[in-house]
Amino acid sequence: MLKRLEELNRTVRNLYSVTDLLKSMGQNTDSVFDIEDNFRGSNQMKVCIDRVKAIPEARARMESRYMGPEIDLEALSQLSCGTLGHTYATVMKTLGYDPNFFRQREIETDEDWLTMRLRKTHDLVHLVTGFGPTGGEVGVLSIQAVQIGYPMSVVLQVASIGMALKQKPEKLPDLTQQVARGMGMAIQTKPLIAQRWEDGWDKPLHQWREDLNITNPVIEEPYSMKNRLPNLALDW
């Protein structure tokens, strides 16, 4: 009975957080962090952790609590044009994004590590896959939902489509196409949670994509990185 009540309370809290997020059109990132934190200790997270541990490289990162060094955009800007680091720094600086914007959490458990690692590398996934950070969010969520079943990604993926269907049906084709592209990419791509991006800042972006088996990154679609940042002279 107590466990059922706890699950009910968790569901209610998530509904409030999802509603706040969608009302803000995705701008209230605190709601995203609230949803993630609300799944702490849940059965859904336990299943997700098991899936991550089933990936040998990801399990090694988790057990070593690998987070990598703090991201220094100025240092990355000095790398050669076309590298992952230079491209990432250019995009982040152009958008005015802080790579350390995310809510902090002490890493005491496997769940903590997974949540913090995903928070830290979120914009890197946008870049490598080609889904724009200002329009391709559902695509990235779909990748995480398929590859490891991350609870927050599943909830927001479903909620975004449901809200579009009810309030902005004209946006439904774009969202469903993103979901389809993200899911397809997730199946063919090597597990993104297992990557040590920081060891390959100086590797060309196109080489990263080739190594990860991203043979068809999102380039020309309306929700792509390129179309969201058309004035950046980058090797997408």
Side-chain angles (χ1 to χ4, degrees):
M1 183 67 180
L2 184 60
K3 189 172 183 179
R4 289 182 180 179
L5 183 58
E6 182 180 341
E7 273 301 310
L8 177 61
N9 288 334
R10 193 191 311 277
T11 300
V12 171
R13 291 196 299 270
N14 277 337
L15 284 173
Y16 277 117
S17 296
V18 168
T19 301
D20 288 343
L21 180 67
L22 295 177
K23 282 182 178 178
S24 72
M25 299 301 290
Q27 298 303 307
N28 184 10
T29 53
D30 277 343
S31 296
V32 175
F33 302 141
D34 288 342
I35 295 169
E36 286 183 309
D37 291 343
N38 190 39
F39 273 113
R40 198 174 191 176
S42 67
N43 184 57
Q44 291 85 356
M45 272 300 293
K46 291 176 182 176
V47 172
C48 177
I49 292 297
D50 287 342
R51 291 182 63 178
V52 174
K53 287 182 175 180
I55 306 168
E57 298 85 355
R59 182 177 188 130
R61 309 284 178 266
M62 178 180 286
E63 290 179 348
S64 68
R65 299 292 189 252
Y66 174 80
M67 286 296 293
E70 186 173 337
I71 296 175
D72 184 343
L73 294 183
E74 294 306 319
L76 295 180
S77 296
Q78 304 307 309
L79 296 174
S80 299
C81 185
T83 60
L84 175 66
H86 182 272
T87 307
Y88 174 79
T90 301
V91 169
M92 295 293 282
K93 291 168 75 172
T94 299
L95 292 172
Y97 285 4
D98 176 3
N100 300 305
F101 78 97
F102 48 86
R103 181 184 294 173
Q104 297 294 323
R105 180 197 288 187
E106 289 295 323
I107 300 178
E108 300 175 348
T109 67
D110 292 340
E111 288 187 18
D112 296 335
W113 175 84
L114 178 60
T115 297
M116 292 305 296
R117 185 61 180 163
L118 288 174
R119 287 177 181 178
K120 180 180 181 181
T121 61
H122 182 79
D123 289 316
L124 270 168
V125 173
H126 274 291
L127 177 62
V128 173
T129 60
F131 285 107
T134 59
E137 195 65 44
V138 179
V140 170
L141 293 175
S142 297
I143 293 173
Q144 293 174 344
V146 170
Q147 288 200 334
I148 60 173
Y150 192 56
M152 180 274 289
S153 299
V154 176
V155 167
L156 293 187
Q157 179 192 47
V158 174
S160 297
I161 294 175
M163 186 62 72
L165 179 64
K166 181 178 180 180
Q167 296 189 356
K168 295 189 176 182
E170 69 277 6
K171 291 185 176 294
L172 194 58
D174 173 57
L175 288 177
T176 52
Q177 287 173 29
Q178 278 195 60
V179 170
R181 282 297 301 273
M183 287 185 165
M185 189 179 293
I187 292 171
Q188 73 172 25
T189 300
K190 293 180 181 179
L192 299 184
I193 188 59
Q195 306 309 311
R196 289 173 62 107
W197 309 104
E198 297 86 350
D199 290 349
W201 285 125
D202 58 349
K203 185 162 70 175
L205 176 57
H206 69 81
Q207 186 63 55
W208 264 108
R209 287 172 172 165
E210 182 177 328
D211 293 346
L212 292 169
N213 200 33
I214 300 177
T215 57
N216 191 22
V218 181
I219 299 298
E220 301 299 339
E221 286 81 352
Y223 42 84
S224 74
M225 182 80 72
K226 181 178 180 181
N227 281 297
R228 292 288 168 167
L229 299 168
N231 297 321
L232 284 185
L234 297 173
D235 180 13
W236 298 107

